[in-house]
Amino acid sequence: MNNETKITKTTRGMNKSVRYITVTAMLAAVSFILQYIEISIPIMPTFIKFDFSDLPALLGSFALGPVCGVLICLVKNVLHLAFSNSMFVGELSNFILGAVFVAVAGIIYKKKKTKTGALVGGLIGAVAMGLFSIVSNLYLVYPVYYQVMPKEVILGAYQAILPSMKSIFQCLICFNLPFTIIKGLIAVALSMLIYKPLSPILKGRNE
């Protein structure tokens, strides 16, 4: 291998690293902004809102790998900490769930880089995020919130929508699980629509 070839390979490697960092930072910034565009859902308690902030992380996971998606989730929530009053628990939960979603989707897509692979990865990732949300909320998020909002008040917010709810666990199964899965599925659907035209920009037109 001559010096010119070595220099060319080194330059390509540096360009790839710069693109990786740049795209990750760009998508994290978009994700951070989208986190503030929240939509209230009438059939959910008022403290649970929908946002599209997982979409950029999912795109990053498909384009540059699952580690990129997880980093986007991390940066988004670290930035959000400066403007949050959730006692850091909201950000931690958001990071964990988002990371589960995009990591699972990205790993599956990495093994089968087709539209079907992306769809299957996204679907499994959404379900995994929904299931993990039960554990996360039951043992991490809600116990902290009980310090400022009694358990009975949170349960009452669910019962105002569906009076038959008897426990927080039941509420998480009936409300949070389907909500979280649907949230993930919406991100998957949107990614299917916009990933292909964005792919040359995210990956680099020469790749």
Side-chain angles (χ1 to χ4, degrees):
M1 183 183 296
N2 57 42
N3 289 335
E4 185 176 347
T5 303
K6 289 181 179 180
I7 292 172
T8 300
K9 286 192 173 183
T10 300
T11 302
R12 286 178 179 173
M14 290 177 62
N15 289 340
K16 190 173 182 179
S17 296
V18 170
R19 173 171 291 280
Y20 186 96
I21 294 170
T22 302
V23 171
T24 301
M26 177 189 70
L27 290 174
V30 174
S31 185
F32 170 69
I33 294 170
L34 289 177
Q35 198 170 17
Y36 283 94
I37 305 176
E38 298 179 321
I39 302 172
S40 296
I41 308 297
I43 59 172
M44 295 295 291
T46 55
F47 53 84
I48 299 176
K49 293 181 173 60
F50 176 86
D51 67 70
F52 295 96
S53 65
D54 287 332
L55 176 59
L58 184 61
L59 293 173
S61 191
F62 285 155
L64 300 179
V67 174
C68 175
V70 172
L71 286 174
I72 292 168
C73 292
L74 177 62
V75 173
K76 170 190 71 173
N77 283 288
V78 169
L79 292 173
H80 196 264
L81 280 174
F83 308 94
S84 172
N85 58 358
S86 70
M87 299 177 288
F88 310 129
V89 179
E91 286 74 27
L92 178 59
S93 175
N94 187 280
F95 166 68
I96 292 173
L97 296 183
V100 168
F101 175 39
V102 302
V104 171
I107 290 170
I108 293 174
Y109 178 69
K110 191 174 182 179
K111 293 181 178 180
K112 187 176 182 181
K113 291 191 174 183
T114 63
K115 189 172 184 179
T116 300
L119 181 59
V120 171
L123 293 176
I124 295 176
V127 173
M129 178 172 64
L131 293 173
F132 205 86
S133 72
I134 298 173
V135 178
S136 174
N137 283 308
L138 192 62
Y139 296 107
L140 174 64
V141 178
Y142 283 13
V144 174
Y145 286 155
Y146 293 157
Q147 308 304 313
V148 294
M149 185 182 296
K151 184 176 182 179
E152 293 74 19
V153 174
I154 294 179
L155 180 60
Y158 286 103
Q159 291 173 331
I161 302 169
L162 191 61
S164 61
M165 294 293 99
K166 303 299 181 183
S167 68
I168 293 295
F169 178 72
Q170 187 181 13
C171 295
L172 293 175
I173 294 293
C174 295
F175 286 87
N176 294 57
L177 175 61
F179 171 82
T180 306
I181 292 176
I182 291 172
K183 179 183 176 182
L185 293 179
I186 290 174
V188 173
L190 291 174
S191 72
M192 293 293 100
L193 294 175
I194 66 177
Y195 178 71
K196 188 173 181 179
L198 287 178
S199 181
I201 300 173
L202 298 176
K203 292 183 177 181
R205 296 185 183 277
N206 295 324
E207 294 187 21

